[in-house]
Amino acid sequence: MKTIGRKPVGLTAVPGADGLREAARQQQIGAAFNLIQSTGIVKGVYRFRNHAEADAQRDEALSQVIAANVARQRRSR
């Protein structure tokens, strides 16, 4: 069997303590954003003059959902 390249130094199949702590932190952040499972956009048909208006509406709705998730998480602590 021909080997091409080299095995990266420091990589193992078993994660270390630092990697597990980082993964747990990322799980907590993801859970905070998923408390309210919504896009914030009410179901319906929307007509926009251009893509910029549609993007602005989407960004505003998502920012409201994220703010609500953060506030809800702080209350639950």
Side-chain angles (χ1 to χ4, degrees):
M1 176 188 277
K2 185 175 181 180
T3 302
I4 299 174
R6 296 176 188 230
K7 182 177 180 180
V9 179
L11 294 180
T12 63
V14 179
D18 291 335
L20 291 173
R21 277 192 288 276
E22 181 64 22
R25 188 178 71 80
Q26 290 180 357
Q27 287 284 335
Q28 288 174 341
I29 291 169
F33 285 129
N34 286 328
L35 288 174
I36 297 174
Q37 302 231 345
S38 172
T39 61
I41 300 172
V42 180
K43 189 175 182 179
V45 177
Y46 295 90
R47 289 182 174 39
F48 300 101
R49 285 180 283 200
N50 53 40
H51 289 286
E53 283 185 8
D55 291 343
Q57 191 251 8
R58 182 199 63 219
D59 292 343
E60 178 65 26
L62 287 175
S63 64
Q64 288 176 359
V65 168
I66 290 171
N69 281 337
V70 170
R72 189 172 181 185
Q73 183 187 27
R74 287 183 181 162
R75 280 180 286 184
S76 67
R77 286 184 184 179

